[in-house]
Amino acid sequence: MASQVASPSASLHTTSSSTTLSTPALSPSSPTRLSPDDLELLAKLEEQNRLLETDSKSLRSVNGSRRNSGSSLVSSSSASSNLSHLEEDSWILWGRIVNEWEDVCKKKEKQIKELVRKGIPHHFRAIVWQLLCTAQSMPIKDQYSELLKMTSPCEKLIRRDIARTYPEHDFFKEKDSFGQEVLFNVMKAYSLVDREVGYCQGSAFIVGLLLMQMPEEEAFCVFVKLMQDYRLRELFKPSMAELGLCMYQFEYMIQEQLPELYVHFQSQSFHTSMYASSWFLTIFLTTFPLPIATRIFDIFMSEGLEIVFRVGLAVLQMNQAELMQLDMEGMLQHFQKVIPHQFDSGPDKLIQASYQVKYNAKKMKKLEKEYTTIKTKEMEEQVEIKRLRTENRLLKQRIETLEKESASLADRLIQHKCSSRYSEDFVLQLEKELVQARLSEAESHCALKEMQDKVLEMEKVNQNQDPQYKVAL
């Protein structure tokens, strides 16, 4: 697949200090540096760029790539190189990378990440995303057409939400449009191959973005890979346990790196899940305009959920002063109305700030273990509360039975005392049984009271936990 995209037009060369991937320096006076095939390919790519590239930001993101140090994949050029030369070099470079993907990834993994952070050119996104997640040759692709012939229990739900997914985007906004139909197809197909997850609305935004870049069969394969290998499946499970973990980890980062803002959030009962859940579930696709969110998604395809933590904290850092002045309602409005448009001029500032954020992978792993321990304890408490409630109900039933027996014994005792037919021993026996019954009744009342107190105490502890981590009873 990769070989169909572009022909090699750059070369690997080794120096005494490092191995770098360089591209020929292009200028109008030196066309002979490229082969006829390369020139033909470049002309086609440039024509595609002029016809289809509506968002210049994706190309503008590579402007500084040639000015990188020797560790960069892109070699430096003269100061006189203009934007078109940089674009040409970017196309040649990405074509070279795609054609020799396995070899380049093995030798230049770090530099590939750096280049992805600068933005993948629009027309390379489809193939590069597939290569990044290794979805280009998945056997499940052959099952796609058969899956579409089947019926999914989620179809009604998917249909209902289709119109809510990118409602202002030309590809999806028309009812029963081709965009809506292919989005339905991919969501339906996935709901059939993963019945535990089925369908979750947030996932449609991710699939929608994939469909903007590639055909539905390829989008389906990439989505399957993202669900399997990028923690998305755990995020979209009905329990959403992974989302709780992300909230726990992200809140720790706020507490550690933005302590004043953390205290303010706590004082306003402004829980992390109130503003950050959608960041993780849709990778900012419902937060920022598409040109910004797509650049973040580029990095997500390369580095996983780490970029969501980084960008999220960078956003909070940039908005800390304003947020500190607002109450809960004001903060919600700020997240919904102000933050989405702060980076309309381009994502570079945000992405640069995100890589100034401290992210400790080992600490995140430790937090994951802590969270697992907390959840295990909560589940144990939940089981204990349910057990106590069951015993509580049985004790109440027993007390009711004992009260009836005591009342019956008391009535019989009164009758026997008034009758001369019964011996004194028999009456004493009845009195003894009545005392015993009332003793058992009192003991049951004490046990019930003790059990009720224990249940109330455990429920109180559970209620005092942060709602985003609390186990539902």
Side-chain angles (χ1 to χ4, degrees), residues 1-11 21-24 38 41-42 45 48 59 62 73-74 86-104 112 115 119-125 127-128 131:
M1 178 179 288
S3 62
Q4 298 171 355
V5 177
S7 58
S9 54
S11 59
L21 180 64
S22 67
T23 61
D38 290 338
L41 171 64
L42 184 56
L45 292 174
Q48 285 182 330
L59 286 176
V62 302
L73 275 165
V74 189
L86 292 169
E87 290 176 3
E88 290 170 356
D89 284 355
S90 176
W91 282 101
I92 294 169
L93 176 61
W94 277 104
R96 170 75 161 81
I97 290 170
V98 166
N99 279 323
E100 301 185 12
W101 181 260
E102 291 186 10
D103 188 51
V104 172
I112 288 286
L115 198 59
I120 303 169
H122 176 72
H123 299 297
F124 280 98
R125 277 203 172 100
I127 182 61
V128 172
L131 290 169

Side-chain angles (χ1 to χ4, degrees), residues 457-472:
E457 182 182 349
M458 293 185 75
E459 287 179 338
K460 186 177 179 181
V461 169
N462 191 269
Q463 287 170 358
N464 287 336
Q465 293 166 354
D466 192 316
Q468 60 198 357
Y469 311 133
K470 185 172 65 177
V471 173

Side-chain angles (χ1 to χ4, degrees), residues 142-207:
D142 299 331
Q143 303 174 27
Y144 184 73
S145 59
E146 293 303 315
L147 289 168
L148 296 187
K149 297 175 185 177
M150 299 167 64
T151 301
S152 167
C154 302
E155 286 187 22
K156 187 176 180 181
L157 207 57
I158 297 170
R159 286 283 186 203
R160 184 198 69 186
D161 288 340
I162 287 293
R164 306 177 189 179
T165 307
Y166 299 114
E168 298 179 2
H169 195 283
D170 290 341
F171 191 50
F172 299 105
K173 68 181 180 182
E174 296 296 332
K175 186 178 180 183
D176 299 325
S177 64
F178 176 72
Q180 288 195 0
E181 194 59 33
V182 293
L183 178 58
F184 172 82
N185 288 346
V186 175
M187 299 312 303
K188 170 188 169 180
Y190 186 81
S191 72
L192 288 166
V193 299
D194 187 354
R195 294 182 182 272
E196 182 183 3
V197 172
Y199 165 73
C200 184
Q201 184 183 2
S203 61
F205 287 94
I206 294 173
V207 172

Side-chain angles (χ1 to χ4, degrees), residues 182-452:
V182 293
L183 178 58
F184 172 82
N185 288 346
V186 175
M187 299 312 303
K188 170 188 169 180
Y190 186 81
S191 72
L192 288 166
V193 299
D194 187 354
R195 294 182 182 272
E196 182 183 3
V197 172
Y199 165 73
C200 184
Q201 184 183 2
S203 61
F205 287 94
I206 294 173
V207 172
L209 179 68
L210 298 177
L211 288 168
M212 294 177 206
Q213 316 295 329
M214 61 190 77
E216 60 184 290
E217 294 89 346
E218 294 176 3
F220 172 67
C221 292
V222 172
F223 184 61
V224 170
K225 268 292 183 179
L226 294 181
M227 293 292 278
Q228 291 175 347
D229 300 342
Y230 285 68
R231 294 174 65 182
L232 291 189
R233 186 174 185 275
E234 300 303 314
L235 280 173
F236 288 120
K237 276 184 178 180
S239 66
M240 289 192 164
E242 193 77 2
L243 181 61
L245 169 60
C246 290
M247 295 300 98
Y248 183 77
Q249 293 170 321
F250 189 62
E251 188 167 295
Y252 170 83
M253 291 178 69
I254 301 170
Q255 185 177 7
E256 183 184 56
Q257 300 184 44
L258 302 172
E260 292 180 2
L261 186 60
Y262 173 80
V263 171
H264 179 64
F265 282 168
Q266 294 293 308
S267 69
Q268 296 294 320
S269 298
F270 193 60
H271 303 297
T272 311
S273 57
M274 295 171 70
Y275 62 90
S277 292
S278 64
W279 295 354
F280 287 87
L281 290 172
T282 68
I283 323 298
F284 292 102
L285 289 168
T286 56
T287 302
F288 295 123
L290 272 174
I292 313 298
T294 305
R295 281 284 303 279
I296 295 171
F297 204 85
D298 283 343
I299 303 172
F300 169 71
M301 294 295 296
S302 173
E303 303 179 33
L305 275 180
E306 178 180 329
I307 189 60
V308 182
F309 288 97
R310 288 184 173 279
V311 170
L313 205 70
V315 167
L316 295 183
Q317 285 176 335
M318 293 177 173
N319 288 272
Q320 180 171 2
E322 293 85 351
L323 292 169
M324 292 287 289
Q325 306 302 317
L326 301 172
D327 59 11
M328 179 193 287
E329 186 177 346
M331 287 190 287
L332 281 172
Q333 288 294 314
H334 191 81
F335 276 98
Q336 292 168 3
K337 306 292 184 183
V338 179
I339 288 176
H341 301 288
Q342 286 183 330
F343 309 100
D344 285 355
S345 61
D348 291 342
K349 181 181 177 182
L350 175 60
I351 291 172
Q352 288 169 7
S354 71
Y355 282 96
Q356 301 302 313
V357 168
K358 295 177 183 176
Y359 182 90
N360 188 324
K362 289 184 179 179
K363 181 62 181 177
M364 298 298 268
K365 206 69 181 172
K366 183 178 179 183
L367 288 170
E368 183 178 351
K369 291 180 180 178
E370 285 180 11
Y371 183 76
T372 302
T373 301
I374 290 170
K375 298 303 287 185
T376 301
K377 185 178 179 183
E378 287 178 6
M379 291 301 294
E380 290 172 352
E381 289 175 352
Q382 181 186 20
V383 171
E384 179 65 8
I385 288 174
K386 287 182 178 179
R387 184 187 68 79
L388 289 172
R389 283 177 174 171
T390 301
E391 289 190 14
N392 196 332
R393 186 176 65 255
L394 294 173
L395 269 174
K396 283 181 178 178
Q397 293 173 357
R398 186 184 175 197
I399 287 170
E400 289 174 1
T401 302
L402 286 171
E403 285 174 345
K404 289 177 182 177
E405 289 178 357
S406 295
S408 176
L409 281 170
D411 289 342
R412 287 174 62 195
L413 185 59
I414 291 170
Q415 291 173 6
H416 296 336
K417 281 184 175 180
C418 295
S419 173
S420 57
R421 290 182 301 165
Y422 297 97
S423 67
E424 186 177 340
D425 288 343
F426 183 75
V427 172
L428 287 173
Q429 179 63 30
L430 282 177
E431 287 179 340
K432 185 177 179 182
E433 289 179 11
L434 179 60
V435 169
Q436 187 63 42
R438 286 180 172 167
L439 206 63
S440 296
E441 183 183 336
E443 288 175 352
S444 295
H445 272 295
C446 288
L448 178 62
K449 180 67 168 60
E450 183 180 339
M451 201 165 293
Q452 287 174 332

